[in-house]
Amino acid sequence: MVKKYPSWVLLAFSFALAILAHGVFLYQWTQGQYMAGINDGLSQMMPFKHLLYEQYTNGEFFYSFDFGLGAGTFSELAYYFSTSIVFLLTIPFVWFLEMTGLIDAPDVLFWANAAVFISALRMSLVLFITARVFIYTKIPYWPSLIGASVYAISGMYFRHTVYWEFFADAFLWLPLLVLGTEKILREQKPGWFLLAVSISFFDNFYFAYINFLLVGIYILFRLFIPLTDAEKDRKKKIITFLTAGVIGFGIGAVSFIPAVYAYLNNHRPPFQQDIPIFEPIDNILYSSRYIILPALFVLFLFTFRFYRNKTFRLFALIGIAGVLMHLSPLVSSIFNGFSAPQYRWEYFISFAAGGAIASGLGMLSKMSQRGFFITAALTGFIYAIYALLDPAFEFDWVETGLVIVSLLATTTAVWAALHFSENMGPKIIGGVLIVWLIVFANFYQSEKILEMGDVWEVNKELITGEDYDDPEINRLLEEIHARENDGMYRIEWMQGVRNNTPIVQDFQGLSAYSSILNQNLLYFYLYDLEIDMQRESVSRYATLGNRANLFSLVRGKYIIRSTDDTNIPYGFTEILASENYLVYENENVLPFARGATEVYQEDKLTMHPPLAREHAMLNGIVLDTEEEGSPIQVTGDITSKFTIEEKMARYEDGVLEVTGETGGIDLVWADPTDGPGDLYVSFKLVNTAADEGFDLSVNDYVTSRKSNDSVYKTYVDDLTLRVPSQEKVRIRLPEGRYFLTELQLFEEDYEALNREAAETSGVQDLKIDGSKVEILYDNDQRDEYLSAVIPYELGWSATVNGVKTDVLKANYAFVGVPIEEGENRIIFSYRPPFFVPSLITSILAIFIGIFWVFRRKSARQ
């Protein structure tokens, strides 16, 4: 008779294993180093936690003007933490600690400190849930915990947690989906599957997609490998799966639908590189970054007698299928939404390996001495093949030695177990495996993450220092805030390439970095205004290319620059200084809301240069409308006044051959205009070298461009760069061959900006409260429309003097409404796209789900 243990015993062992598995990171925490990636960990994960915690504890759940130029955080950050159940459960606990004075107000440093403890608790739950799933499938108690350890204590868990923390939550929901599947197949009980589907849809739309593909594979195998006599009616089971899936979708709709809309409203250039069906081997036995298969799993795969057991056969075949799928970039592309291949689903292989090992441990008595030697020989042969045929394989005394020691120890343990009692054998092997898993997990943390991933640099000194949250900058920010009232203003400052610096340092900035951003803002930067961000990359926007008109239009009032940076936009004057930085103030900031009579048609402006589009926004309002609109005047075109001189290069018919280390062309203006002003230089630039990024400089302005084979390339090659007006424009590139075409130059004298800045604002009162903006506007100029510096996205509604009106997309990426003569009280309100119908759907689905589950229960009774 199999001894049963209470759940708290399993939970206690799970917690102990999780603590041991986090040994390196727990030690690093005592040394002031944190479990967070130096790149996305510090640039996205920690800032988003900080932002959302502040929002949620202040009662704002939907929108923030602190995220870039403004964004619907509930939907756009659903990919990260806004609907993450683990994060949502963390918030009240942290809030309690804050309210009781046990901790200060949480900041980015707090969330970095807390990361290792949240991870250990999450792993404890993964171990507990997975072990309970294996126990439910009739696998003995302790083998189930060992199999769960193979799944939870894996390199991919730590990789996910450190670099993209919310990825690790998927480890929780996959075993719940498997449990739900088994409950339907074995007992015709859909409750657990319904719960798991609902949680998955609510928690994260991206991993819901991945986990549903994975559980679909599991269900497919299960339909052809029945484990009980109650699984004969496949059609009925499929109908139950589909019904539970539809109801579960309905329950999770309140989160899932707004999140999917945000994903569809994002803009990311399509992946243009070839995706092979198979690629050279990823060495999953020795050195893979994603998954290292335990030697015991490989050994059991070649124990052919085990396949007579249906449970082992199920997990073994799924594991083999997973390994074959891992070798296909096409499969990884499918799991990433048919985009660039990303290896994020391989935890499924660990789950299958855990199931195979757990079920195999209970069948050691079926292994004969002769069978053992055959199995060991085949296992050794496979390890030799992986070492010999992998062109990238290099013997490493630590990493390779650890694998070989594991192979020898596992083989020896299995041989020894054959000579012990039936009860002792699995314990010996399981003990060896647990030790290896913990040792390897800590090795992975030390070598693969801390060293190779530079995570050892993530410490308190970094997070509170000049490379992340610079105290010198914070002092300048305090002085800026002290000069201001409660009005809306923005500051251009970004630490290095960390676009979410404004979230970290608690100011309203002009940059953002997220896998999902407002498409209208991305188009505004990339296509409509061709704003250079000084660094080509997807999923980001930053800076305004030193273009004064744009600064004034979006209320960019201050810029912070290093003392040696003299390339300052027009109209900015120095007001503050520190040892290494200067603060400049914009003298021509335009109001948050502006009236307009002149209406320009967006489509017609596409035929004109970006400077003409800037003037249209200054002189009136640009609408995405079919109305005729005001005539468009293009001024300042001085292309014909420049002559071209080659410098260490040959330029002919749009082809630029740079022959020196750097070179290019000079655009020479023989008779430049006196007085202040800027030049806008527009051209199309394509690098013919596929694998080389490069820097482009135009006079003192420098920007970087990605290589053609980079997955982060925008493929936006139409550039418009602003430089101070001068007689010579120097375009410089590194040695190579380029297509440089559509060259144009425009002079900007800022007459339109100065005129608009001198106008009296009609804004009498402005109140911004998260997802609600209230404007009192005196329309004494009889303007027809009002535009406001609120990024346009589906979800905004508006009333003018109490009457509901349509929200228009104005000035390419912002909101506008028709207004009346005289006083106008305009109220903009935001709710996530389709939030109300999604909420109603979720509420109805909960009742339908409860009714359906209890009706089926009554029918069985």
Side-chain angles (χ1 to χ4, degrees), residues 778-806:
D778 185 7
N779 185 18
D780 58 358
Q781 299 297 315
R782 299 183 179 180
D783 293 320
E784 296 180 24
Y785 295 95
L786 177 136
S787 64
V789 191
I790 302 171
Y792 177 86
E793 60 178 293
L794 191 65
W796 283 107
S797 60
T799 61
V800 178
N801 294 328
V803 179
K804 186 175 177 61
T805 188
D806 291 334

Tab-separated table of all heavy atoms in Angstrom, residues 778-806:
chain	number	residue	atom	x	y	z
A	778	ASP	N	-11.726	78.460	-23.358
A	778	ASP	CA	-12.458	79.639	-23.816
A	778	ASP	C	-12.197	79.829	-25.304
A	778	ASP	O	-11.130	80.287	-25.715
A	778	ASP	CB	-12.010	80.874	-23.033
A	778	ASP	CG	-12.839	82.110	-23.388
A	778	ASP	OD1	-13.844	81.959	-24.138
A	778	ASP	OD2	-12.497	83.215	-22.929
A	779	ASN	N	-13.171	79.484	-26.109
A	779	ASN	CA	-13.014	79.543	-27.559
A	779	ASN	C	-13.469	80.898	-28.079
A	779	ASN	O	-14.470	81.006	-28.809
A	779	ASN	CB	-13.811	78.404	-28.214
A	779	ASN	CG	-13.605	78.332	-29.714
A	779	ASN	OD1	-12.647	78.882	-30.246
A	779	ASN	ND2	-14.522	77.658	-30.395
A	780	ASP	N	-12.736	81.953	-27.762
A	780	ASP	CA	-13.115	83.285	-28.225
A	780	ASP	C	-12.664	83.542	-29.659
A	780	ASP	O	-13.026	84.553	-30.260
A	780	ASP	CB	-12.553	84.354	-27.288
A	780	ASP	CG	-11.036	84.291	-27.172
A	780	ASP	OD1	-10.418	83.397	-27.799
A	780	ASP	OD2	-10.461	85.125	-26.443
A	781	GLN	N	-11.877	82.622	-30.225
A	781	GLN	CA	-11.417	82.759	-31.614
A	781	GLN	C	-12.317	82.000	-32.596
A	781	GLN	O	-12.031	81.964	-33.777
A	781	GLN	CB	-9.983	82.232	-31.736
A	781	GLN	CG	-8.969	82.969	-30.877
A	781	GLN	CD	-8.843	84.424	-31.264
A	781	GLN	OE1	-8.757	84.768	-32.446
A	781	GLN	NE2	-8.848	85.304	-30.261
A	782	ARG	N	-13.389	81.413	-32.076
A	782	ARG	CA	-14.341	80.663	-32.907
A	782	ARG	C	-13.668	79.507	-33.665
A	782	ARG	O	-13.963	79.236	-34.834
A	782	ARG	CB	-15.051	81.585	-33.890
A	782	ARG	CG	-15.848	82.681	-33.216
A	782	ARG	CD	-16.583	83.525	-34.227
A	782	ARG	NE	-17.373	84.575	-33.576
A	782	ARG	CZ	-18.116	85.458	-34.218
A	782	ARG	NH1	-18.198	85.432	-35.562
A	782	ARG	NH2	-18.794	86.383	-33.555
A	783	ASP	N	-12.766	78.828	-32.969
A	783	ASP	CA	-12.112	77.658	-33.559
A	783	ASP	C	-13.110	76.515	-33.699
A	783	ASP	O	-14.053	76.389	-32.912
A	783	ASP	CB	-10.941	77.211	-32.687
A	783	ASP	CG	-9.807	78.237	-32.666
A	783	ASP	OD1	-9.527	78.807	-33.731
A	783	ASP	OD2	-9.227	78.450	-31.587
A	784	GLU	N	-12.880	75.676	-34.705
A	784	GLU	CA	-13.789	74.556	-34.963
A	784	GLU	C	-13.391	73.295	-34.197
A	784	GLU	O	-14.243	72.469	-33.870
A	784	GLU	CB	-13.819	74.242	-36.457
A	784	GLU	CG	-14.375	75.379	-37.313
A	784	GLU	CD	-14.384	75.014	-38.787
A	784	GLU	OE1	-14.402	73.798	-39.101
A	784	GLU	OE2	-14.361	75.930	-39.634
A	785	TYR	N	-12.105	73.138	-33.943
A	785	TYR	CA	-11.614	71.919	-33.309
A	785	TYR	C	-10.649	72.258	-32.176
A	785	TYR	O	-10.052	73.344	-32.153
A	785	TYR	CB	-10.878	71.024	-34.326
A	785	TYR	CG	-11.757	70.490	-35.417
A	785	TYR	CD1	-11.852	71.135	-36.648
A	785	TYR	CD2	-12.497	69.328	-35.237
A	785	TYR	CE1	-12.650	70.647	-37.657
A	785	TYR	CE2	-13.303	68.821	-36.242
A	785	TYR	CZ	-13.385	69.486	-37.448
A	785	TYR	OH	-14.185	68.999	-38.453
A	786	LEU	N	-10.524	71.317	-31.285
A	786	LEU	CA	-9.512	71.406	-30.231
A	786	LEU	C	-8.684	70.130	-30.250
A	786	LEU	O	-9.229	69.018	-30.325
A	786	LEU	CB	-10.169	71.580	-28.868
A	786	LEU	CG	-9.216	71.623	-27.661
A	786	LEU	CD1	-9.600	72.733	-26.693
A	786	LEU	CD2	-9.217	70.271	-26.927
A	787	SER	N	-7.362	70.294	-30.209
A	787	SER	CA	-6.468	69.139	-30.089
A	787	SER	C	-5.802	69.181	-28.724
A	787	SER	O	-5.592	70.260	-28.164
A	787	SER	CB	-5.393	69.159	-31.195
A	787	SER	OG	-4.550	70.295	-31.060
A	788	ALA	N	-5.500	68.020	-28.177
A	788	ALA	CA	-4.865	67.932	-26.860
A	788	ALA	C	-3.714	66.937	-26.936
A	788	ALA	O	-3.716	66.006	-27.747
A	788	ALA	CB	-5.872	67.495	-25.793
A	789	VAL	N	-2.733	67.137	-26.061
A	789	VAL	CA	-1.538	66.285	-26.074
A	789	VAL	C	-1.830	65.000	-25.293
A	789	VAL	O	-1.222	64.707	-24.265
A	789	VAL	CB	-0.325	67.034	-25.500
A	789	VAL	CG1	0.950	66.240	-25.784
A	789	VAL	CG2	-0.203	68.415	-26.110
A	790	ILE	N	-2.797	64.267	-25.790
A	790	ILE	CA	-3.164	62.959	-25.255
A	790	ILE	C	-3.021	61.962	-26.407
A	790	ILE	O	-3.698	62.112	-27.429
A	790	ILE	CB	-4.619	62.939	-24.744
A	790	ILE	CG1	-4.837	63.999	-23.669
A	790	ILE	CG2	-4.992	61.558	-24.242
A	790	ILE	CD1	-6.298	64.182	-23.284
A	791	PRO	N	-2.145	60.979	-26.301
A	791	PRO	CA	-2.003	60.026	-27.407
A	791	PRO	C	-3.329	59.351	-27.742
A	791	PRO	O	-4.044	58.876	-26.857
A	791	PRO	CB	-0.978	59.022	-26.863
A	791	PRO	CG	-0.178	59.807	-25.881
A	791	PRO	CD	-1.162	60.736	-25.233
A	792	TYR	N	-3.638	59.330	-29.023
A	792	TYR	CA	-4.896	58.745	-29.482
A	792	TYR	C	-4.827	57.227	-29.432
A	792	TYR	O	-3.872	56.606	-29.895
A	792	TYR	CB	-5.187	59.192	-30.920
A	792	TYR	CG	-6.428	58.566	-31.504
A	792	TYR	CD1	-7.674	59.135	-31.288
A	792	TYR	CD2	-6.350	57.403	-32.265
A	792	TYR	CE1	-8.828	58.572	-31.813
A	792	TYR	CE2	-7.489	56.828	-32.804
A	792	TYR	CZ	-8.729	57.412	-32.574
A	792	TYR	OH	-9.870	56.844	-33.088
A	793	GLU	N	-5.836	56.631	-28.848
A	793	GLU	CA	-6.015	55.179	-28.927
A	793	GLU	C	-7.469	54.856	-28.625
A	793	GLU	O	-8.168	55.631	-27.959
A	793	GLU	CB	-5.080	54.430	-27.969
A	793	GLU	CG	-5.230	54.759	-26.510
A	793	GLU	CD	-4.291	53.917	-25.646
A	793	GLU	OE1	-4.500	52.692	-25.595
A	793	GLU	OE2	-3.370	54.481	-25.041
A	794	LEU	N	-7.903	53.729	-29.137
A	794	LEU	CA	-9.261	53.291	-28.878
A	794	LEU	C	-9.430	53.104	-27.372
A	794	LEU	O	-8.610	52.478	-26.723
A	794	LEU	CB	-9.539	51.982	-29.609
A	794	LEU	CG	-10.995	51.532	-29.655
A	794	LEU	CD1	-11.834	52.506	-30.449
A	794	LEU	CD2	-11.077	50.132	-30.281
A	795	GLY	N	-10.472	53.659	-26.836
A	795	GLY	CA	-10.685	53.617	-25.398
A	795	GLY	C	-10.995	54.990	-24.827
A	795	GLY	O	-11.617	55.115	-23.770
A	796	TRP	N	-10.574	56.051	-25.550
A	796	TRP	CA	-10.896	57.405	-25.117
A	796	TRP	C	-12.312	57.770	-25.554
A	796	TRP	O	-12.721	57.510	-26.685
A	796	TRP	CB	-9.923	58.424	-25.706
A	796	TRP	CG	-8.584	58.464	-25.016
A	796	TRP	CD1	-7.413	57.988	-25.498
A	796	TRP	CD2	-8.310	59.009	-23.724
A	796	TRP	NE1	-6.415	58.196	-24.578
A	796	TRP	CE2	-6.937	58.824	-23.482
A	796	TRP	CE3	-9.093	59.626	-22.748
A	796	TRP	CZ2	-6.317	59.234	-22.300
A	796	TRP	CZ3	-8.490	60.040	-21.576
A	796	TRP	CH2	-7.112	59.846	-21.351
A	797	SER	N	-13.059	58.377	-24.655
A	797	SER	CA	-14.362	58.962	-24.980
A	797	SER	C	-14.322	60.414	-24.529
A	797	SER	O	-13.456	60.809	-23.733
A	797	SER	CB	-15.499	58.213	-24.278
A	797	SER	OG	-15.331	58.273	-22.866
A	798	ALA	N	-15.243	61.214	-25.035
A	798	ALA	CA	-15.208	62.643	-24.712
A	798	ALA	C	-16.608	63.226	-24.673
A	798	ALA	O	-17.521	62.770	-25.392
A	798	ALA	CB	-14.357	63.392	-25.740
A	799	THR	N	-16.764	64.212	-23.817
A	799	THR	CA	-17.970	65.048	-23.817
A	799	THR	C	-17.543	66.496	-23.926
A	799	THR	O	-16.504	66.903	-23.388
A	799	THR	CB	-18.792	64.848	-22.529
A	799	THR	OG1	-18.005	65.232	-21.388
A	799	THR	CG2	-19.243	63.406	-22.375
A	800	VAL	N	-18.331	67.276	-24.653
A	800	VAL	CA	-18.117	68.719	-24.763
A	800	VAL	C	-19.373	69.392	-24.235
A	800	VAL	O	-20.464	69.207	-24.788
A	800	VAL	CB	-17.830	69.140	-26.215
A	800	VAL	CG1	-17.668	70.655	-26.300
A	800	VAL	CG2	-16.577	68.439	-26.745
A	801	ASN	N	-19.220	70.106	-23.137
A	801	ASN	CA	-20.355	70.749	-22.465
A	801	ASN	C	-21.466	69.736	-22.161
A	801	ASN	O	-22.652	69.994	-22.355
A	801	ASN	CB	-20.886	71.915	-23.298
A	801	ASN	CG	-19.880	73.048	-23.403
A	801	ASN	OD1	-19.107	73.279	-22.470
A	801	ASN	ND2	-19.872	73.732	-24.528
A	802	GLY	N	-21.043	68.544	-21.724
A	802	GLY	CA	-21.979	67.518	-21.301
A	802	GLY	C	-22.541	66.653	-22.408
A	802	GLY	O	-23.285	65.705	-22.139
A	803	VAL	N	-22.199	66.962	-23.659
A	803	VAL	CA	-22.710	66.205	-24.803
A	803	VAL	C	-21.620	65.280	-25.325
A	803	VAL	O	-20.514	65.733	-25.629
A	803	VAL	CB	-23.196	67.146	-25.925
A	803	VAL	CG1	-23.702	66.325	-27.115
A	803	VAL	CG2	-24.266	68.091	-25.410
A	804	LYS	N	-21.932	64.003	-25.430
A	804	LYS	CA	-20.949	63.038	-25.914
A	804	LYS	C	-20.576	63.345	-27.358
A	804	LYS	O	-21.459	63.626	-28.194
A	804	LYS	CB	-21.500	61.622	-25.797
A	804	LYS	CG	-20.496	60.526	-26.137
A	804	LYS	CD	-21.091	59.155	-25.877
A	804	LYS	CE	-20.131	58.044	-26.274
A	804	LYS	NZ	-18.873	58.097	-25.525
A	805	THR	N	-19.305	63.282	-27.671
A	805	THR	CA	-18.830	63.568	-29.026
A	805	THR	C	-17.756	62.570	-29.415
A	805	THR	O	-17.152	61.919	-28.552
A	805	THR	CB	-18.270	65.001	-29.113
A	805	THR	OG1	-17.987	65.322	-30.479
A	805	THR	CG2	-17.008	65.156	-28.283
A	806	ASP	N	-17.515	62.434	-30.703
A	806	ASP	CA	-16.488	61.514	-31.180
A	806	ASP	C	-15.098	62.063	-30.867
A	806	ASP	O	-14.855	63.267	-30.958
A	806	ASP	CB	-16.608	61.312	-32.690
A	806	ASP	CG	-17.863	60.545	-33.074
A	806	ASP	OD1	-18.358	59.777	-32.220
A	806	ASP	OD2	-18.334	60.717	-34.208
